Amino acid sequence: RKEVEQDPGPFNVPEGATVAFNCTYSNSASQSFFWYRQDCRKEPKLLMSVYSSGNEDGRFTAQLNRASQYISLLIRDSKLSDSATYLCVVKDDYKLSFGAGTTVTVRA
Amino acid sequence: DTGVSQDPRHKITKRGQNVTFRCDPISEHNRLYWYRQTLGQGPEFLTYFQNEAQLEKSRLLSDRFSAERPKGSFSTLEIQRTEQGDSAMYLCASSPSGRAGEQFFGPGTRLTVL
């Protein structure tokens, strides 16, 4: 079983739409969670940390459900520039485990 | 630009040859990581340095792979006797002490083994 599993998508949405997707993780003792973004042929970049109480960063909202071991990301008012692969990441000690990514394409 | 840099950006080699990649982390970061990423997958952890000490190697890192970080600055990743299955993007990342979740990635070295 993979440490982090994500729905690969793709999610194809119009500009202005809301899109949401989840990932699940296998290690119930994991403490820290993140979403990274990876544009085509580019390196991953940290999008946001995920806190137990949920958190927002502009149009992005992240939620953590420890009981069910899943993490979600919601993007409101999608922009063309949001088109990317979103990587769910779990940190154990210093090591990051990445999901395979969820691809989002925002169309005009 | 003071981000993470990697060299070369692309490497094509024949099976059986040795290759070496270099990573220069952000100067004030004492932690350095190597990952491998193949198409359609997320990055997979290979190894980790804190300063010059290599603290963990993934079981993905066979004995053909070796990494060093002399003096705790730049790092090299060497692959000996390359195989076609080694073809991948090799990513380097660095992070400041105490913030291992906030890793800054370099642009990667794309290795193609013919």
Side-chain angles (χ1 to χ4, degrees), chain A residues 2-3 8 32 34 36 38 41-46 49 51 87 89 91 93-101, chain B residues 9 31 33 35 37 40-45 48 55-56 89 91 99-108 110:
Chain A
K2 289 187 177 180
E3 293 181 59
S32 301
F34 306 87
Y36 274 68
Q38 187 168 27
R41 301 182 189 279
K42 298 287 190 179
E43 69 273 20
K45 292 184 179 179
L46 176 65
S49 302
Y51 302 120
L87 301 166
V89 181
K91 184 176 86 68
D93 199 4
Y94 50 81
K95 174 186 168 186
L96 297 186
S97 297
F98 287 79
Chain B
R9 295 290 303 277
R31 296 183 177 186
Y33 314 81
Y35 293 85
Q37 186 174 25
Q41 301 299 315
E44 294 177 296
F45 172 81
Y48 155 65
L55 298 187
E56 185 169 335
M89 177 72 83
L91 293 162
R99 290 160 58 186
E102 298 175 32
Q103 295 187 14
F104 294 80
F105 283 80
R110 181 168 296 284

Side-chain angles (χ1 to χ4, degrees), chain B residues 26 34 66 75 92:
Chain B
I26 293 172
W34 284 98
S66 62
S75 175
C92 175

Side-chain angles (χ1 to χ4, degrees), chain B:
Chain B
D1 187 341
T2 57
V4 178
S5 61
Q6 293 187 244
D7 184 71
R9 295 290 303 277
H10 303 274
K11 179 70 178 180
I12 300 173
T13 192
K14 293 182 179 179
R15 190 175 51 189
Q17 298 295 303
N18 298 345
V19 295
T20 300
F21 309 142
R22 176 179 171 127
C23 170
D24 287 272
I26 293 172
S27 58
E28 59 266 31
H29 290 179
N30 66 339
R31 296 183 177 186
L32 186 147
Y33 314 81
W34 284 98
Y35 293 85
R36 180 171 65 192
Q37 186 174 25
T38 53
L39 192 63
Q41 301 299 315
E44 294 177 296
F45 172 81
L46 294 179
T47 191
Y48 155 65
F49 290 85
Q50 182 161 308
N51 299 311
E52 66 275 12
Q54 186 175 20
L55 298 187
E56 185 169 335
K57 291 173 60 172
S58 165
R59 64 181 182 277
L60 293 174
L61 218 61
S62 76
D63 56 6
R64 297 184 297 105
F65 288 71
S66 62
E68 294 182 342
R69 193 185 182 196
K71 303 178 183 179
S73 55
F74 71 93
S75 175
T76 58
L77 178 68
E78 180 183 18
I79 310 174
Q80 296 182 326
R81 305 181 303 281
T82 52
E83 302 173 355
Q84 287 185 323
D86 297 332
S87 295
M89 177 72 83
Y90 289 84
L91 293 162
C92 175
S94 68
S95 73
S97 181
R99 290 160 58 186
E102 298 175 32
Q103 295 187 14
F104 294 80
F105 283 80
T109 295
R110 181 168 296 284
L111 173 66
T112 302
V113 182
L114 301 176

Side-chain angles (χ1 to χ4, degrees), chain A residues 79-99:
Chain A
K79 310 293 184 190
L80 294 175
S81 58
D82 294 334
S83 297
T85 296
Y86 291 86
L87 301 166
C88 178
V89 181
V90 175
K91 184 176 86 68
D92 295 302
D93 199 4
Y94 50 81
K95 174 186 168 186
L96 297 186
S97 297
F98 287 79

